[in-house]
Amino acid sequence: MQPEESEILYEYAHIASEYAGMDLVGFIKGTVSLDGLDRTFAEWIITGLCDCTVFDILKKNNIYPDYIAGYSLGLNNACYCSGAITLEDSVTILKGVISSIRRVLDSDIRYGMGVIIGLELQTVLGLIDRYSSFERVTVSSVNTDTFITLSGVLDDVNIILGKAFEEGAIKLIPLDVPCAFHSSLMSDFSSDYFKNITKFKYRDITVPIVSVYDQKILTSAEDILKEQQRNFLECMKWKNTIRYLETQGVDEFWDMSVLSAMKKSSHLSEPQSKFKTIKSIRKSGGK
């Protein structure tokens, strides 16, 4: 990060530390050590704060969004940046996610997630139908025509990844996540998440959030809460979201992640469309 970016991040981390009940600044600097779910909690908060930092840098450079779309936990950041929730609310949501993970780890079944790159959705669905079942493995995100994320019982997810390799997948990525996020398999473990997302008041917004589930435009507090409710148990349709935005005339997409994660996992179909990252501003000297 550049000095200005680090300054903003540390300011966010200082404020969020109080809400999280841990020294996030010390964790970033390496002077505080965390393990297990405490470490996961801190890493997720800091990842979100990095997104918010990028958003602030964009605004400082007079780059304002017409729409915001949040991928997975990125929905929390989209809600914060749009003004729908506060930073404290965002941390509260993550606390609910962590509590739900604890419930999963206390269960007798091990869950997990994985990414398949290079096979189309119907091929992946065929593998699940043939070698497992949709009660044990589900598609949890369709990022592009050939970038598919799975969630499910860990052994079965690994079986499908292996069969995808035999089928000719270009790349397989087991995810270091002990849950089956974005699938109904999390239903029995999600009570803490659903309780936490209703502990505070959502606000109407002027910069709309685009739903990654049905591509509807969200501006009301009620609709944004519904999106948070969907964000735990439903398959994300990121590919459809990007294509919808292109049909609305959007041809410039800014990735708010520091590591350009969404640019790498998205596909633009219109030749005039461009995905830009924080590196674009760094190279221009912030002008």
Side-chain angles (χ1 to χ4, degrees), residues 49-187:
L49 299 182
C50 287
D51 288 4
C52 298
T53 297
V54 172
F55 187 77
D56 284 356
I57 293 295
L58 293 178
K59 290 192 296 182
K60 283 178 177 286
N61 285 271
N62 294 314
I63 300 168
Y64 293 89
D66 296 310
Y67 305 92
I68 302 179
Y71 184 92
S72 191
L73 291 178
L75 174 62
N76 299 350
N77 311 330
C79 287
Y80 169 72
C81 291
S82 68
I85 65 175
T86 67
L87 187 60
E88 182 178 9
D89 298 337
S90 178
V91 173
T92 297
I93 291 172
L94 290 179
K95 286 180 180 178
V97 177
I98 292 296
S99 294
S100 297
I101 292 178
R102 287 197 177 94
R103 290 180 180 270
V104 173
L105 294 178
D106 287 340
S107 72
D108 296 329
I109 303 176
R110 300 276 75 86
Y111 294 90
M113 300 179 68
V115 170
I116 298 173
I117 299 176
L119 297 182
E120 294 184 347
L121 176 60
Q122 290 305 314
T123 301
V124 174
L125 292 175
L127 294 176
I128 295 173
D129 187 44
R130 196 180 323 160
Y131 298 106
S132 179
S133 71
F134 294 107
E135 287 72 35
R136 294 178 65 84
V137 181
T138 64
V139 171
S140 51
S141 182
V142 181
N143 283 25
T144 73
D145 289 335
T146 56
F147 189 127
I148 311 296
T149 303
L150 303 179
S151 293
V153 177
L154 183 58
D155 287 345
D156 289 59
V157 169
N158 288 334
I159 288 172
I160 302 304
L161 292 180
K163 294 301 179 180
F165 176 77
E166 295 175 7
E167 194 73 20
I170 298 171
K171 191 173 184 179
L172 306 169
I173 308 173
L175 300 180
D176 186 21
V177 180
C179 292
F181 286 131
H182 304 291
S183 80
S184 60
L185 291 165
M186 287 295 291
S187 296

Side-chain angles (χ1 to χ4, degrees), residues 182-232:
H182 304 291
S183 80
S184 60
L185 291 165
M186 287 295 291
S187 296
D188 292 340
F189 313 105
S190 61
S191 59
D192 291 335
Y193 171 79
F194 283 103
K195 180 173 65 176
N196 274 32
I197 64 174
T198 58
K199 282 185 175 181
F200 49 85
K201 185 177 181 179
Y202 294 80
R203 292 184 290 272
D204 295 344
I205 55 177
T206 55
V207 178
I209 293 173
V210 182
S211 170
V212 297
Y213 299 102
D214 57 20
Q215 291 66 62
K216 289 185 178 179
I217 298 298
L218 313 176
T219 58
S220 73
E222 180 182 6
D223 285 344
I224 294 166
L225 171 58
K226 289 179 181 178
E227 186 78 355
Q228 283 285 5
Q229 292 170 333
R230 301 179 75 175
N231 201 36
F232 211 68

Side-chain angles (χ1 to χ4, degrees), residues 250-268:
V250 176
D251 57 14
E252 185 173 284
F253 296 79
W254 282 88
D255 188 341
M256 286 166 53
S257 64
V258 175
L259 299 177
S260 307
M262 294 320 303
K263 177 180 179 180
K264 295 173 183 176
S265 57
S266 304
H267 176 72
L268 300 175

